[in-house]
Amino acid sequence: MINDTVLHHAKVHLVGKEISLERTVRIHRHLERDDKSLLPRIIVTANIETVSQNEDLVPTTSIDDYEGKDYIFVSSGENRFSAIRVNTGTTTGQFTEIQLLKKIGTGVPLVTQCAFELMGLQKNKQD
């Protein structure tokens, strides 16, 4: 058994979804510096540092891409919806990070499904 006490810095790119019976999780990482002594599929003990970010997340189904730009929809009254342009970031699971390009009020209901259909209805109405 190899007892390597050398510290290796890496960036985690993927984290597995399953926890094994031994309470381990598969992680895909990229080392900052290549080390030929580390072999593929080697088991290591790792300390993972996380950074807490205060980002807006929405269900991915609430985002529609129209002409290369991303939009979400908010309710602006009974059966009335407004498209809000956003920049999208990282998608994790069923949620995507967004950056609002226009400020909206707090508590405004967000449409969480059928963004594609709403965009189609809105564009057909304008034509």
Side-chain angles (χ1 to χ4, degrees):
M1 179 168 34
I2 299 173
N3 185 6
D4 186 4
T5 57
V6 176
L7 185 62
H8 299 279
H9 292 275
K11 184 172 183 176
V12 174
H13 285 267
L14 295 169
V15 177
K17 294 181 180 180
E18 297 179 18
I19 300 174
S20 73
L21 294 174
E22 295 83 24
R23 311 247 336 123
T24 61
V25 175
R26 294 181 70 122
I27 293 179
H28 178 83
R29 52 77 189 132
H30 291 193
L31 291 172
E32 286 180 4
R33 283 182 294 190
D34 238 3
D35 185 340
K36 301 294 182 198
S37 68
L38 296 176
L39 302 173
R41 300 195 181 274
I42 192 169
I43 296 173
V44 298
T45 300
N47 292 321
I48 300 175
E49 296 178 9
T50 61
V51 176
S52 177
Q53 294 178 326
N54 199 7
E55 303 293 343
D56 292 319
L57 297 174
V58 297
T60 304
T61 55
S62 67
I63 302 170
D64 183 50
D65 173 287
Y66 181 75
E67 295 182 344
K69 296 176 182 156
D70 293 315
Y71 295 87
I72 60 170
F73 285 87
V74 294
S75 176
S76 55
E78 191 173 314
N79 291 326
R80 299 178 66 115
F81 304 96
S82 300
I84 308 291
R85 183 133 166 349
V86 297
N87 286 333
T88 56
T90 306
T91 296
T92 304
Q94 298 173 356
F95 293 90
T96 300
E97 172 188 343
I98 63 164
Q99 176 188 30
L100 294 167
L101 300 178
K102 172 184 168 187
K103 195 168 190 161
I104 60 174
T106 24
V108 175
L110 171 71
V111 176
T112 59
Q113 295 181 14
C114 302
F116 176 79
E117 289 84 354
L118 279 174
M119 182 62 79
L121 288 170
Q122 188 177 56
K123 293 305 170 188
N124 283 337
K125 207 185 273 188
Q126 291 176 1
D127 291 343

